[in-house]
Amino acid sequence: MTDISAIHDIKVGRGRDTSGREPLDLKWAEFKMPLLYLLCLSALGLFFYPAFLGALIILLDRWRKDRTEFIMMLFLLIGEYGFVDKVVTGVFLWDFALVASVFLWFVYRKPFLVRKLFAILGVYTATIFILASMSIESMSIQILTIRTYLTVLCVIIPIIVFASPDFDINAFFRKVMVFALVICAFYVVDGIILCGNILVPRTTLWHGAGNSTFYDPIWRPLSFTIFRKYPPGLYFLMLAVYPMAKLYSVKLWQWILVFCALLFSLTFTVMSGILGAYLLMRVRLRYVVLSIFGAIVGLVALYYIDGLLPTTTKEYYQESALRIKSTVDQFFDLYNAVDDEDIAMFASGRVSQILPKFDMMEREGKMWTGIGFLHREKSKINRYIIENEYYTDLANNIEVATGIEVVPAQIIVNMGYIGLFVHTVVFFLMWYIIRRLRYAGYVLSVLLLNVWFGLMGFAGLISFAGLGILSISYGAVLACNYSDVWGKDKSRRRRVMSGFRPPIE
């Protein structure tokens, strides 16, 4: 398999473990620019706008000196990964990337494999608009949601920027690990030391807490009470799992940093996705059973420990401190469910978002094509305004028939079963056409993690947060196979042109 063969690209030598993985020895010089840049983003996320000038200067410097760091920095700025978002900038910055991407797809001289990708994404785009045209909602409203699906077109940006015979995939992976570790360190500091939204300032706050700002921060420094940091910044770990499992021997302090960052997110989906993907790629087959047994023992221990800690009352359930016991208990509650209301409580109430919308679609015969790309604030069609009887908060139970945190269910609402089928096939084909390239398993790992996260409304393949990460991995894999992607295309053109030349006498 391609992802396993990637290990053989690294020679086992002095200072490397017996599995062929090299120790992840990172130098301080490798951290300087990423750390400085992320601190600028932190300040900008706290509404300290002069920091944008510092971020822009660093971006321009990286464009000239290090295109790999440039792409990572650019996507962290525009992708809403917990540092900067629309509330800070007033617009979605990824909108500019989407417009630029559409232009680049048509002007860039694409090699054969990229032309195949363009054809696949063209079919996907056409399908979206055809199904959207079947909705009674106006296209001017639907385009507001459609454009999030179309951010997959932004894959062309890293493809073009990375495209060079000098691209070094090992240097790329080292930089991924640097950014991932810095972000994890930010999560740890915010989660247990500053106890607030400071270094990763644009993560979700509830109960009307407002915005954490440079001059009025939301924090409880040195209180040492765990502050839940929602996980958008940790999406970047999707790029780090593969090199951690396949290429590097990660040191203990680095593992502690990653594990603590995941723990302070208190998001079981992200924790299980990252750690589960690592184990699946790393653990040998004969150790799988032992690993599963160990994981079960550890989970049971954490379950009972979590049961001894104080709980918090939520809308649908009692949330335990580490969110492990409360998550497991939801599966027991689902097993014992006796009616729709019990089922609606599953997955922190996410099923309650699904049931009334699917009921309405079934009544209207729209399960195959969907009801269109409705907008939660802009859509005003009375036919699609529903009263959700499963919500316990009666003040907010009138809503537009959209806004489901479970990505596959949201796709069905927007495009029906046909749309979900096309969506699945398109992303499968995105991997399939590069399956024979070195490190193709890297793209597959990011794809599957996005699918897993999307089941609970995190990242996913219908938002730039997930598609941006996928785009970076895709561009890196194509670039590290430069001779196969661009070189063969040049050879093909030479052979075709030679057929039009007169024979040499």
Side-chain angles (χ1 to χ4, degrees):
M1 293 178 63
T2 304
D3 56 339
I4 296 177
S5 65
I7 301 176
H8 302 301
D9 296 331
I10 298 181
K11 296 179 181 179
V12 180
R14 188 175 181 180
R16 311 204 177 186
D17 67 15
T18 56
S19 67
R21 299 186 302 160
E22 61 176 327
L24 187 58
D25 292 321
L26 299 171
K27 310 301 181 184
W28 166 243
E30 296 179 79
F31 284 92
K32 287 183 179 178
M33 293 303 289
L35 177 59
L36 180 60
Y37 180 77
L38 289 174
L39 287 173
C40 287
L41 292 192
S42 299
L44 181 58
L46 290 169
F47 298 87
F48 186 72
Y49 290 105
F52 180 71
L53 179 61
L56 182 60
I57 291 172
I58 295 174
L59 272 175
L60 293 175
D61 176 74
R62 294 297 89 186
W63 170 260
R64 292 187 299 109
K65 298 179 180 178
D66 192 322
R67 298 290 176 87
T68 298
E69 285 192 357
F70 168 80
I71 283 293
M72 294 180 190
M73 290 177 175
L74 176 66
F75 277 48
L76 283 168
L77 171 64
I78 68 178
E80 303 205 342
Y81 295 110
F83 292 93
V84 181
D85 61 12
K86 184 185 178 183
V87 176
V88 176
T89 61
V91 294
F92 289 114
L93 293 180
W94 48 259
D95 272 336
F96 298 102
L98 177 58
V99 173
S101 298
V102 173
F103 174 76
L104 290 172
W105 274 112
F106 286 100
V107 301
Y108 177 59
R109 187 174 183 180
K110 300 174 285 294
F112 178 70
L113 191 148
V114 179
R115 291 199 297 273
K116 290 172 67 175
L117 176 62
F118 181 52
I120 292 169
L121 297 182
V123 171
Y124 183 53
T125 302
T127 301
I128 288 175
F129 280 101
I130 290 171
L131 293 173
S133 68
M134 299 178 183
S135 172
I136 62 175
E137 181 61 276
S138 68
M139 193 62 72
S140 62
I141 297 296
Q142 292 191 74
I143 196 67
L144 298 175
T145 302
I146 287 174
R147 75 193 205 278
T148 65
Y149 283 69
L150 296 185
T151 53
V152 66
L153 297 173
C154 293
V155 68
I156 193 64
I157 297 177
I159 287 176
I160 294 175
V161 174
F162 288 159
S164 168
D166 298 325
F167 181 84
D168 185 349
I169 190 66
N170 292 311
F172 168 83
F173 284 135
R174 288 181 68 88
K175 296 177 192 303
V176 164
M177 294 306 305
V178 167
F179 277 94
L181 289 173
V182 172
I183 292 172
C184 286
F186 281 13
Y187 263 78
V188 172
V189 173
D190 266 4
I192 194 64
I193 299 175
L194 299 180
C195 302
N197 274 357
I198 306 299
L199 294 179
V200 191
R202 299 305 305 163
T203 54
T204 303
L205 288 170
W206 300 107
H207 310 299
N211 297 313
S212 183
T213 68
F214 191 79
Y215 298 105
D216 186 18
I218 294 176
W219 64 343
R220 290 173 293 176
L222 302 180
S223 66
F224 297 106
T225 56
I226 294 180
F227 181 87
R228 185 184 183 187
K229 296 289 296 179
Y230 276 78
L234 298 180
Y235 298 163
F236 209 81
L237 284 175
M238 287 191 280
L239 291 172
V241 174
Y242 185 93
M244 289 170 65
K246 297 290 188 180
L247 308 177
Y248 297 120
S249 177
V250 181
K251 296 184 177 181
L252 178 61
W253 71 267
Q254 295 164 343
W255 264 120
I256 292 174
L257 199 60
V258 171
F259 182 79
C260 288
L262 290 169
L263 181 63
F264 295 148
S265 76
L266 296 179
T267 307
F268 183 76
T269 306
V270 175
M271 287 188 284
S272 61
I274 297 298
L275 298 178
Y278 175 84
L279 289 174
L280 287 174
M281 287 189 284
R282 182 74 197 114
V283 177
R284 294 180 181 178
L285 185 60
R286 64 176 178 268
Y287 295 135
V288 168
V289 175
L290 183 61
S291 299
I292 292 175
F293 176 76
I296 292 174
V297 171
L299 182 62
V300 170
L302 287 173
Y303 177 87
Y304 284 105
I305 292 172
D306 199 14
L308 299 175
L309 300 175
T311 61
T312 303
T313 301
K314 294 294 183 178
E315 184 177 358
Y316 298 99
Y317 61 102
Q318 289 289 324
E319 182 179 89
S320 56
L322 300 178
R323 301 187 80 243
I324 294 174
K325 183 178 185 299
S326 55
T327 299
V328 174
D329 284 348
Q330 290 183 63
F331 287 92
F332 291 123
D333 293 340
L334 180 65
Y335 178 78
N336 296 319
V338 295
D339 55 26
D340 287 351
E341 291 188 4
D342 291 335
I343 296 173
M345 303 302 173
F346 181 66
S348 304
R350 287 176 174 87
V351 175
S352 68
Q353 301 170 350
I354 300 173
L355 293 179
K357 288 137 192 176
F358 275 30
D359 286 343
M360 185 202 70
M361 291 171 63
E362 190 170 5
R363 288 195 305 269
E364 296 200 356
K366 288 284 189 177
M367 292 302 297
W368 285 98
T369 59
I371 58 176
F373 295 82
L374 306 183
H375 192 276
R376 299 184 73 174
E377 286 82 34
K378 304 291 185 181
S379 292
K380 304 297 182 183
I381 300 174
N382 289 334
R383 184 172 170 180
Y384 292 148
I385 306 296
I386 63 173
E387 180 180 356
N388 195 326
E389 61 184 10
Y390 299 107
Y391 289 170
T392 58
D393 184 4
L394 298 180
N396 296 306
N397 67 342
I398 306 297
E399 63 175 353
V400 178
T402 188
I404 298 175
E405 294 179 57
V406 181
V407 168
Q410 181 61 60
I411 294 173
I412 292 173
V413 169
N414 293 146
M415 301 192 291
Y417 293 139
I418 294 175
L420 180 62
F421 174 76
V422 172
H423 175 89
T424 303
V425 170
V426 162
F427 284 97
F428 170 76
L429 290 178
M430 281 187 68
W431 168 78
Y432 187 79
I433 64 174
I434 64 167
R435 71 194 184 285
R436 299 188 185 279
L437 299 181
R438 290 185 305 125
Y439 299 101
Y442 184 45
V443 171
L444 184 60
S445 69
V446 175
L447 266 173
L448 295 179
L449 278 170
N450 261 302
V451 171
W452 177 253
F453 287 4
L455 294 178
M456 289 297 152
F458 300 105
L461 298 173
I462 63 172
S463 69
F464 187 84
L467 293 171
I469 297 294
L470 176 64
S471 297
I472 293 174
S473 68
Y474 211 91
V477 169
L478 292 188
C480 78
N481 291 273
Y482 186 86
S483 60
D484 291 323
V485 177
W486 281 268
K488 286 186 177 180
D489 191 68
K490 293 176 181 177
S491 299
R492 184 182 294 106
R493 285 201 300 269
R494 284 195 296 267
R495 289 196 302 270
V496 170
M497 292 304 297
S498 65
F500 294 97
R501 294 171 185 166
I504 299 175
E505 296 181 357

